[in-house]
């Protein structure tokens, strides 16, 4: 059988072109890919990162290839940074992608490790979603927020926010991911334990960022207009592996 590799999935997606799209954590991995993806579909992309210099090359590249992009300094665990960064931006689509992880066993996690994970991957998602949603509500403007979940807490947060904000025309949904090959994890997947894990993936390969395109465009765009609090697993059957 031919290897199951990503192919060109460029199709017209309603409700992306011309929209103001924020991608957090856009300096590496999935964030870089999502920024390029939404720009390719005609969005005005804001690539955000805590060190703005880390996203300027990406924005230059997008603009050079005919897209629209601007860089934004945004430290997601810091509510003041989020407030300042999002002020008057009027984002219509928010890709809550910034996150962090700790590679050690939970037995070895320090208090600092735990704080970093919760502050970035949970509180950061909340700060960005809340600030963007307040602006959407105040402007009486519909919007879509897509969270990239690494932990179940983001799944539950997504459901709660989705229920509360649906009445304002703000949809909140979540992508549930397993193993995507990015800067976050390549050291582990180059190791023997990492290679052993790949052999247990039903499709026997890690996901590439492009494997998420269909799901993220569905959730973010008008194609997903009746989806709120939904979770889409893009995980090569990770969740059903125990069957
Ligand atoms: N890759 C996977 O297999 C996988 C699986 C499940 C879930 N996810 C989730 O998907 C998202 C993207 O993952 P990835 O693999 O692309 O990871 P990545 O390459 O490490 O990218 C994470 C991004 O978040 C940024 N970030 C970290 N702390 C931040 C902060 N305080 N403020 C603003 N930005 C911050 C990072 O920038 P810096 O350079 O500043 O750190 C980076 O741009 C994460 O939320 C991750 O938890 C990934």
């Amino acid at each position: 059988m031919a290897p199951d590799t990503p192919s060109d999935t460029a199709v017209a997606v309603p409700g992306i072109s011309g929209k103001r799209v924020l991608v957090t954590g856009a300096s590496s991995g999935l964030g870089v890919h999502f920024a390029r993806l939404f720009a390719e579909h005609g969005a005005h992309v804001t690539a955000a990162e805590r060190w703005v210099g880390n996203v300027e090359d990406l924005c230059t590249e997008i603009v050079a290839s005919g897209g629209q992009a601007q860089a934004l300094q945004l430290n997601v665990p810091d509510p003041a940074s989020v407030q300042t960064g999002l002020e008057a931006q009027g984002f219509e689509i928010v890709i809550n992608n910034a996150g962090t992880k700790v590679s050690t066993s939970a037995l070895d996690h320090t208090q600092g490790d735990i704080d970093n994970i919760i502050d970035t991957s949970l509180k950061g998602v909340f700060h960005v979603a809340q600030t963007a949603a307040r602006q959407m509500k105040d402007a009486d403007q519909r919007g879509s927020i897509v969270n990239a979940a690494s932990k179940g807490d983001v799944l539950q947060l997504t459901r709660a926010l989705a229920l509360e904000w649906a009445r304002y025309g703000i949809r909140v949904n979540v992508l549930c991911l397993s193993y995507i090959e990015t800067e976050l994890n390549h050291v582990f997947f180059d190791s023997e334990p990492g290679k052993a894990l790949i052999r247990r993936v039903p499709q026997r390969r890690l996901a590439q960022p492009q494997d998420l395109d269909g799901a993220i465009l569905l959730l973010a765009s008008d194609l997903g207009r009746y989806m709120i609090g939904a979770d889409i697993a893009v995980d090569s059957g990770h969740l059903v592996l125990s069957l």
Side-chain angles (χ1 to χ4, degrees):
M1 190 166 46
D4 178 19
T5 50
S7 57
D8 183 9
T9 53
V11 290
V13 179
I16 301 287
S17 184
K19 291 282 166 66
R20 293 180 294 276
V21 177
L22 170 67
V23 180
T24 68
S27 68
S28 69
L30 299 183
V32 171
H33 178 71
F34 292 149
R36 288 182 180 138
L37 177 71
F38 282 91
E40 280 164 17
H41 282 82
H44 300 250
V45 170
T46 295
E49 225 293 281
R50 55 184 154 169
W51 290 294
V52 70
N54 291 351
V55 283
E56 280 166 354
D57 284 353
L58 172 66
C59 293
T60 303
E61 172 213 298
I62 289 173
V63 170
S65 54
Q68 300 176 76
Q70 63 169 354
L72 177 70
Q73 198 272 330
L74 199 68
N75 184 28
V76 300
D78 177 359
S81 169
V82 174
Q83 184 66 40
T84 305
L86 269 63
E87 199 152 23
Q89 296 276 6
F91 293 116
E92 296 153 292
I93 296 173
V94 172
I95 308 300
N96 234 330
N97 167 78
T100 193
K101 76 185 278 284
V102 176
S103 302
T104 56
S105 158
L107 292 170
D108 300 320
H109 284 11
T110 65
Q111 192 57 51
D113 291 337
I114 299 297
D115 289 345
N116 188 27
I117 292 172
I118 300 290
D119 287 352
T120 306
S121 301
L122 179 62
K123 290 184 184 174
V125 167
F126 179 78
H127 295 321
V128 173
Q130 183 196 49
T131 307
R134 281 176 173 163
Q135 292 179 5
M136 291 171 189
K137 176 176 174 288
D138 289 349
D140 198 19
Q141 168 202 295
R142 292 177 176 276
S144 172
I145 299 171
V146 183
N147 299 325
S150 57
K151 305 280 184 296
D153 49 15
V154 175
L155 186 58
Q156 290 305 109
L157 176 69
T158 300
R159 291 169 175 163
L161 299 182
L163 278 181
E164 190 181 307
W165 295 345
R167 74 199 69 174
Y168 307 120
I170 302 167
R171 299 186 299 104
V172 192
N173 293 290
V174 59
L175 271 188
C176 294
L177 310 173
S178 56
Y179 306 114
I180 302 103
E181 195 168 7
T182 67
E183 288 86 336
L184 189 74
N185 53 32
H186 72 89
V187 173
F188 172 69
F189 285 114
D190 284 344
S191 70
E192 275 315 310
K195 289 175 184 167
L197 198 153
I198 294 170
R199 288 194 290 275
R200 296 200 298 277
V201 174
Q203 285 171 293
R204 304 291 187 267
R205 69 169 177 88
L206 298 174
Q208 299 301 309
Q210 300 94 308
D211 291 318
L212 310 180
D213 291 2
I216 198 157
L217 289 171
L218 170 64
L219 294 179
S221 75
D222 291 349
L223 291 175
R225 60 188 172 273
Y226 202 61
M227 300 177 79
I228 66 135
D231 53 282
I232 299 186
V234 185
D235 68 352
S236 186
H238 185 80
L239 287 174
V240 294
L241 199 54
S242 58
L243 291 178

